């Protein structure tokens, strides 16, 4: 009779001991296949947005350093869907585990068939302990300058609302953190403090021209949103700058000019 029981999902405590338990049977005993599932997350070191169609691949490997080879024990492949960190479930047959062998986890993220991110070396599984949280980094073939919010940007959305089509609300951030811009009626200037993926705009001084109500409303919303900005992220696929408030809510979306 076939075993119709669902795959077993391993708890963190069981993850720490599953290999030792699986290999405890006498060598002469026949291997009985049992599907187990690893659950974990993959995070990207760089602060950039992945396209929604990016693919995550995670593999559990049996590694042989002497022969410079590795066998795949289990694998998972899924769409990232703008999630970060990216959760994964990796099924594997624990009857394929062998006493005295070395095991490791490997992950990579592909976009349009090209590897953008990956583990520099497979993550070792020491003494049967699986560490399902994996950090990947930009691979050498895709390496380029780190994302930056410095440059000139055009507001496309403020607090998830549209902007006036023929009105340009802009901001320019210099290498030294100086800020200049135009809300659509009045120019403004000031400074920005940038550290990693955090940003805080200091008081922005603006001119005091009067313009139509709709123009002034958009300008006021932009300046208000800038005063609340606390985090930034570059969507490299679309070349957009996204600002977030203290609650991690998107407050302004800019396009590079």
């Amino acid at each position: 009779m076939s075993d119709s029981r669902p795959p077993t999902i391993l708890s963190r405590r069981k993850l720490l001991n599953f290999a030792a338990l699986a290999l405890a049977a006498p060598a002469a005993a026949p291997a009985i296949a049992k599907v187990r599932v690893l659950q974990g997350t993959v995070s990207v070191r760089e602060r950039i947005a992945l396209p929604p169609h990016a693919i995550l691949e995670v593999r559990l490997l049996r590694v042989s350093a002497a022969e410079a080879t590795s066998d795949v024990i289990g694998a998972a492949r899924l769409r990232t869907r703008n999630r970060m960190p990216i959760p994964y479930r990796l099924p594997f047959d624990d009857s394929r585990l062998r006493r005295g062998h070395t095991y490791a986890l490997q992950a990579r993220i592909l976009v349009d068939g090209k590897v953008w991110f990956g583990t520099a070396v497979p993550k070792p599984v020491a003494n049967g302990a699986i560490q399902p949280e994996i950090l990947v980094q930009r691979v050498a073939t895709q390496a380029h300058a780190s994302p930056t919010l410095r440059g000139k940007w055009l507001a496309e959305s403020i607090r998830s609302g549209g902007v006036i089509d023929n009105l340009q609300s802009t901001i320019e951030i210099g290498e030294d953190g100086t800020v200049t811009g135009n809300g659509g009626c009045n120019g403004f200037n000031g400074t920005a403090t940038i550290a990693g993926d955090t940003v805080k705009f200091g008081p922005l001084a603006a001119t005091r021209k009067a313009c139509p109500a709709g123009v002034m409303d958009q300008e006021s919303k932009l300046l208000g949103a800038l005063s609340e900005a606390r985090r930034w992220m570059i969507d490299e696929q679309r070349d957009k700058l996204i600002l977030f408030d203290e609650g991690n809510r998107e407050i302004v979306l800019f396009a590079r000019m």
Side-chain angles (χ1 to χ4, degrees):
M1 180 181 296
S2 62
D3 187 354
S4 60
R5 292 175 296 177
T8 302
I9 297 178
L10 301 183
S11 67
R12 175 60 63 89
R13 188 169 183 179
K14 289 181 179 179
L15 283 173
L16 299 177
N17 299 296
F18 84 90
L21 293 174
L23 299 176
I32 301 175
K34 184 174 184 181
V35 175
R36 296 185 182 272
V37 178
L38 295 179
Q39 291 191 126
T41 59
V42 172
S43 298
V44 175
R45 186 184 301 275
E46 292 83 354
R47 285 287 186 175
I48 70 168
L50 294 169
H53 64 283
I55 299 295
L56 169 66
E57 291 183 349
V58 184
R59 302 192 299 174
L60 176 61
L61 308 175
R62 180 168 58 239
V63 182
S64 173
E67 301 176 7
T69 61
S70 60
D71 297 324
V72 178
I73 304 301
R77 181 181 171 92
L78 63 147
R79 290 187 181 274
T80 59
R81 302 186 187 281
N82 288 322
R83 294 171 294 182
M84 191 60 62
I86 310 161
Y88 69 85
R89 298 177 75 256
L90 191 160
F92 68 97
D93 176 0
D94 70 0
S95 70
R96 298 187 62 190
L97 300 176
R98 298 290 183 269
R99 185 186 302 277
H101 286 242
T102 301
Y103 297 88
L105 283 169
Q106 183 183 67
R108 61 179 189 168
I109 296 175
L110 302 92
V111 178
D112 299 326
K114 297 180 180 179
V115 180
W116 278 25
F117 299 91
T119 45
V121 294
K123 189 180 180 73
V125 178
N127 298 322
I130 294 291
Q131 301 295 328
E133 288 74 36
I134 307 171
L135 183 65
V136 294
Q137 61 190 46
R138 186 69 67 112
V139 299
T141 56
Q142 291 292 325
H144 54 71
S146 299
T148 177
L149 77 169
R150 293 171 173 83
K152 190 170 184 180
W153 305 90
L154 173 67
E156 288 191 340
S157 172
I158 304 172
R159 300 190 188 280
S160 300
V163 295
I164 300 172
D165 289 338
N166 60 351
L167 179 68
Q168 290 197 335
S169 294
T170 64
I171 187 172
E172 185 168 2
I173 304 172
E175 291 295 329
D176 59 354
T178 58
V179 175
T180 58
N182 193 294
C185 177
N186 290 282
F188 58 85
N189 63 79
T191 60
T193 302
I194 305 164
D197 67 340
T198 66
V199 61
K200 187 172 183 179
F201 293 91
L204 300 175
T207 57
R208 296 179 178 275
K209 293 189 296 182
C211 293
V215 175
M216 298 300 291
D217 180 62
Q218 179 168 308
E219 182 172 279
S220 177
K221 287 179 178 178
L222 175 64
L223 293 174
L226 292 176
S227 71
E228 296 178 23
R230 295 294 182 270
R231 187 173 74 83
W232 64 275
M233 183 175 71
I234 299 296
D235 182 338
E236 290 191 309
Q237 187 77 4
R238 300 184 297 158
D239 206 11
K240 309 286 188 184
L241 166 64
I242 309 169
L243 298 181
F244 302 87
D245 65 11
E246 193 170 23
N248 209 34
R249 294 177 290 265
E250 179 182 317
I251 52 176
V252 190
L253 173 68
F254 291 98
R256 190 182 296 278
M257 297 184 71

